[in-house]
Amino acid sequence: DLGSVSQFNSASDLSICFYVRFSALPSGGAYVLSGGSNISNNLDIFTVGNKINVRYSGSGTVVETASSFSLNTWYHIAYVKSGTGSTIYIDGTSDATGTGASTTSATSGNNFKLGDSPHTSPYRFSGYLDEVFGFNYALSSTQVSNIVNNYEYFSPTFAIRLENDVTDEASNYDGTNNGATFSTSVKPY
């Protein structure tokens, strides 16, 4: 639980990137990252079967990955929103694009959460997350590639490394652990 990430409210551009390793991919779906006051005022990164989709401010799915995910494999995911356009990158390569992302307050009301939803349950994520970073601007494809290949992060809004805690290394969005366990032996790199 990262609290309200105010810099994402009414943002026309934003980016979120993270490493993910799925232990399960339930057919009903699971929230990887989510924030907002209700289903019509939200930003959700959500699995549907073995794909990831992004829903933004009640507009339905804005973009869904073309590629499928396997269990027990690490992936780097970057979601980039620029205006009303969206791109999902997998391991530094553009995988899917879409349109329709709005600038409605995506995280106002309820807190931004990792692995859960502040407005719907019981679609909890099962697996590992690492290096969760948010940016209040649209990352370029070169920047996404540099994050994956060189671990270069460019002025993040929040930086949650998930090294035994949910401390934000970039600003004031320290999280609250509501039941997550940490592993230093299962890492993506």
Side-chain angles (χ1 to χ4, degrees):
D1 186 337
L2 301 180
S4 179
V5 182
S6 60
Q7 286 144 326
F8 282 2
N9 290 345
S10 301
S12 60
D13 299 337
L14 63 86
S15 304
I16 299 172
C17 62
F18 54 92
Y19 286 93
V20 63
R21 179 178 165 170
F22 299 102
S23 298
L25 287 162
S27 60
Y31 288 93
V32 180
L33 305 165
S34 182
S37 57
N38 56 54
I39 200 71
S40 63
N41 186 23
N42 65 313
L43 166 64
D44 296 326
I45 299 177
F46 189 82
T47 65
V48 176
N50 60 357
K51 297 191 176 204
I52 287 180
N53 73 51
V54 176
R55 294 184 292 206
Y56 202 89
S57 294
S59 57
T61 299
V62 173
V63 62
E64 180 176 82
T65 57
S67 300
S68 298
F69 296 92
S70 299
L71 298 180
N72 302 313
T73 301
W74 281 104
Y75 299 95
H76 184 272
I77 305 299
Y79 167 66
V80 178
K81 176 186 174 300
S82 180
T84 60
S86 296
T87 303
I88 297 178
Y89 295 83
I90 301 175
D91 296 329
T93 302
S94 175
D95 185 75
T97 60
T99 59
S102 71
T103 58
T104 305
S105 298
T107 58
S108 64
N110 289 329
N111 293 343
F112 197 71
K113 295 190 179 237
L114 307 178
D116 200 1
S117 167
H119 51 79
T120 304
S121 63
Y123 304 104
R124 290 195 171 93
F125 169 76
S126 178
Y128 297 92
L129 289 171
D130 200 19
E131 303 285 321
V132 181
F133 283 69
F135 305 83
N136 61 356
Y137 61 91
L139 291 168
S140 70
S141 59
T142 300
Q143 288 173 315
V144 172
S145 180
N146 281 333
I147 290 169
V148 173
N149 296 314
N150 304 317
Y151 309 110
E152 292 179 17
Y153 294 94
F154 308 90
S155 303
T157 301
F158 63 83
I160 312 295
R161 293 199 184 271
L162 299 171
E163 303 289 334
N164 296 317
D165 62 23
V166 285
T167 301
D168 179 5
E169 296 179 4
S171 59
N172 298 319
Y173 297 108
D174 288 348
T176 302
N177 185 354
N178 293 319
T181 56
F182 299 95
S183 172
T184 55
S185 62
V186 181
K187 289 295 193 179
Y189 47 83

